[in-house]
Amino acid sequence: MSEQIPVKDVTPVKVHKPSPKDQTKHHSSGTSIYVRAVKGPFETFRRFFGLFFLALFAVIPWLQYDGRQAVLLDIAEQRFTFFSLTLWPQDLTLLAYIFIVSAFALFFVTAFAGRVWCGFMCPQTTWTYIYIWLEEKIEGSANKRIKLDERPMDLDKFWRKSLKHFCWIAVALLTSLTFVGYFTPIGELFIDFFIFNAGFWAVFSVLFFTFCTYGNAGWMRQIMCTHICPYARFQSAMFDKDTFTVAYDPNRGDRRGPRSRKIPYEELPSKGLGDCIDCNLCVQVCPTGIDIRNGLQYECINCGACVDACNGVMEKMNYPKGLIRFTSEEQLSGGETHIFRPKLIGYFFVLVVMMGLLIANITMRVPLEVDIIRDRNTLFRDTGDGWIENVYTLKVLNKSQSPQTYSISVQDLEDYKYIGTEELNIAGGEVRSVPVSVAIKPDSLQESVTEFSFHVETTTVNGDVVEANEPTKFIYR
């Protein structure tokens, strides 16, 4: 009990704050952030990456497969269609596997490279940058937008603001129609909505998501990332000293301050200067309004905008790039980043296992579901001619997308008499319920409860045999 617990010094370091003039110009205490445009490899990659997935989002609901919408999440019919695959409520385990795989993929990527999901793939970030791009095209650069907002209302300001919000609403409406088109036939939705013939819930959904997109990307922006999104709060549980995040190197950058470009880089230490010229561009280009020089912050979305801005300044000053870069805490402290570490290997292992289980479940999935409901009013009855009869209701679900003919038979019984339909024609994605009876001579029954199975079988157009055995019980006495 004499051993002391080591104490870690958590005394906060000096936090750098931009000058009040710059803070007021570009990042007020309110919700308005005037994001400055930036060019660089990360910005270029983020734009093309975002546009690629944005194009997928817009195109997928319009794709057709076998004469119908290829991807349709029909909640009313409780049927999710993905090209040739149709998922039903009975396939809930597949959806659970998909969510688990997505979660561990997110955990793995976050443990390795921080919040790159937020910076490069999150819909909030993508639509926010779309709205900022529209602002730049209509109102001008960040400085012009600041001056425009400071001006009293005049004709120029009115038409620019009106056009901007009209474009915002148009993008939000198009986004909402596309999103709702994943849950209802999108061709009919677009036509019915604009001719005022859509149903109540379709109109309500479109208007609701239009309002959400317009509000989130147009007005809330950084508030979504810093206060509302739960991912920003629990991401720190997945970080460690070897996680790659956007970070400022204080060993290179401090002491900060302006200087002439004529001062050779080799003379900076003798003048007590670091590489940072305190231009505040890293603050001005940040979509969440933080100063990356203050260290790791949960508001940072790892978009890399400050990296491009800083590298551009370093290039103009003829300084080495990388003052702000994707790096790890271990590397900043002079150590070496460990890529293969227990946490990352664990996430990867679980991810591979869950993906294997998902693929195996999809591969072994039988496109046929059989359910048996016994007649609860009468357990058994005497037919009067020496037979004992049990009554059942067979529910056969065709989980494929093409019509099938199913044959019904009884297994594991001897000397029985089957009464009912022996063949069923069921359309794709439909369910049929049929009453059937099984009669047995009392002398053939050894016990009061005898287990047997109904066997349902079909042959697909490809020649594959699809079958299902559903156990049930024959009751007597």
Side-chain angles (χ1 to χ4, degrees), residues 35 146 212 237 247 259 264 317 355 406 424:
V35 181
I146 294 171
C212 290
R259 77 289 307 270
M317 296 295 294
M355 287 184 64
Y406 297 94
L424 283 177

Side-chain angles (χ1 to χ4, degrees), residues 217-268:
W219 295 96
M220 301 178 72
R221 293 190 180 176
Q222 79 279 5
I223 296 178
M224 289 294 299
C225 300
T226 58
H227 294 85
I228 298 177
C229 178
Y231 182 43
R233 301 294 179 174
F234 71 76
Q235 63 163 334
S236 58
M238 291 169 276
F239 278 28
D240 54 38
K241 292 185 177 181
D242 296 300
T243 299
F244 286 99
T245 58
V246 173
Y248 164 77
D249 189 349
N251 298 319
R252 271 189 55 186
D254 295 342
R255 184 174 57 99
R256 308 161 187 158
R259 77 289 307 270
S260 172
R261 293 176 60 181
K262 297 180 180 179
I263 299 177
Y265 181 71
E266 295 77 12
E267 296 182 10
L268 292 180

Side-chain angles (χ1 to χ4, degrees), residues 460-471:
T460 65
V461 292
N462 298 325
D464 299 326
V465 177
V466 178
E467 56 185 357
N469 287 318
E470 188 65 20

Side-chain angles (χ1 to χ4, degrees), residues 324-453:
I324 300 176
R325 62 186 184 272
F326 276 88
T327 185
S328 66
E329 184 182 350
E330 186 71 30
Q331 200 170 45
L332 284 176
S333 61
E336 184 178 351
T337 303
H338 300 89
I339 302 295
F340 301 101
R341 52 194 189 272
K343 177 189 289 188
L344 203 61
I345 294 174
Y347 283 144
F348 182 74
F349 175 77
V350 176
L351 176 62
V352 170
V353 170
M354 298 311 299
M355 287 184 64
L357 291 174
L358 173 61
I359 294 173
N361 273 268
I362 293 176
T363 304
M364 297 185 296
R365 175 178 176 270
V366 178
L368 169 64
E369 188 82 20
V370 179
D371 192 19
I372 299 175
I373 303 174
R374 286 187 49 85
D375 186 358
R376 292 183 173 85
N377 295 324
T378 306
L379 293 180
F380 66 93
R381 70 184 185 92
D382 191 338
T383 61
D385 55 357
W387 294 81
I388 301 299
E389 184 181 39
N390 281 199
V391 179
Y392 309 87
T393 299
L394 264 64
K395 296 183 68 174
V396 181
L397 170 61
N398 180 7
K399 296 166 70 174
S400 69
Q401 298 179 354
S402 57
Q404 300 289 337
T405 300
Y406 297 94
S407 61
I408 303 174
S409 60
V410 174
Q411 292 185 343
D412 303 322
L413 276 183
E414 297 180 358
D415 299 329
Y416 69 89
K417 183 165 59 174
Y418 176 81
I419 306 168
T421 303
E422 295 183 354
E423 279 193 355
L424 283 177
N425 295 315
I426 305 178
E430 299 293 333
V431 59
R432 287 277 302 276
S433 297
V434 293
V436 298
S437 300
V438 176
I440 304 178
K441 291 283 188 178
D443 297 340
S444 302
L445 298 172
Q446 305 296 326
E447 299 178 355
S448 58
V449 177
T450 303
E451 295 185 356
F452 71 102
S453 301

Side-chain angles (χ1 to χ4, degrees), residues 15-18 22-23 26-30 32-36 115 129 221-223 225-227 232 235 239 245-248 256 279-307 309 324:
V15 175
H16 174 81
K17 294 183 179 180
D22 292 323
Q23 184 77 9
H26 291 278
H27 299 94
S28 67
S29 59
S32 296
I33 288 185
Y34 301 92
V35 181
R36 182 167 177 165
R115 289 180 68 181
Y129 273 108
R221 293 190 180 176
Q222 79 279 5
I223 296 178
C225 300
T226 58
H227 294 85
Q235 63 163 334
F239 278 28
T245 58
V246 173
Y248 164 77
R256 308 161 187 158
C279 63
N280 290 323
L281 278 179
C282 56
V283 182
Q284 297 172 22
V285 301
C286 179
T288 58
I290 66 170
D291 189 342
I292 194 64
R293 295 172 293 182
N294 291 337
L296 180 63
Q297 298 155 76
Y298 76 88
E299 297 95 339
C300 177
I301 62 173
N302 272 22
C303 64
C306 56
V307 178
I324 300 176

Side-chain angles (χ1 to χ4, degrees), residues 59-187:
V59 169
I60 285 177
W62 292 98
L63 297 178
Q64 297 290 307
Y65 181 83
D66 199 17
R68 45 195 168 64
Q69 189 168 323
V71 177
L72 182 60
L73 312 177
D74 196 335
I75 296 177
E77 297 293 332
Q78 298 183 348
R79 176 172 56 191
F80 291 180
T81 303
F82 302 92
F83 293 90
S84 62
L85 177 66
T86 302
L87 300 181
W88 300 85
Q90 295 87 342
D91 300 312
L92 185 61
T93 53
L94 287 178
L95 294 177
Y97 279 125
I98 292 174
F99 289 139
I100 293 173
V101 167
S102 301
F104 275 97
L106 185 62
F107 296 162
F108 173 77
V109 172
T110 303
F112 178 73
R115 289 180 68 181
V116 290
W117 158 265
C118 296
F120 292 89
M121 286 191 66
C122 177
Q124 173 69 21
T125 303
T126 302
W127 265 261
T128 295
Y129 273 108
I130 292 174
Y131 276 35
I132 292 175
W133 180 81
L134 289 171
E135 278 185 333
E136 292 175 350
K137 296 302 179 183
I138 297 171
E139 297 182 354
S141 63
N143 288 328
K144 290 182 179 179
R145 298 200 301 272
I146 294 171
K147 293 179 181 179
L148 183 67
D149 286 347
E150 291 174 348
R151 275 167 38 190
M153 183 61 69
D154 55 21
L155 181 60
D156 179 68
K157 182 176 181 178
F158 176 78
W159 81 260
R160 289 183 185 274
K161 291 290 183 182
S162 299
L163 179 60
K164 179 186 75 172
H165 287 283
F166 173 80
C167 293
W168 280 5
I169 294 173
V171 170
L173 179 61
L174 185 60
T175 300
S176 180
L177 284 167
T178 303
F179 180 73
V180 176
Y182 279 84
F183 301 90
T184 188
I186 191 168

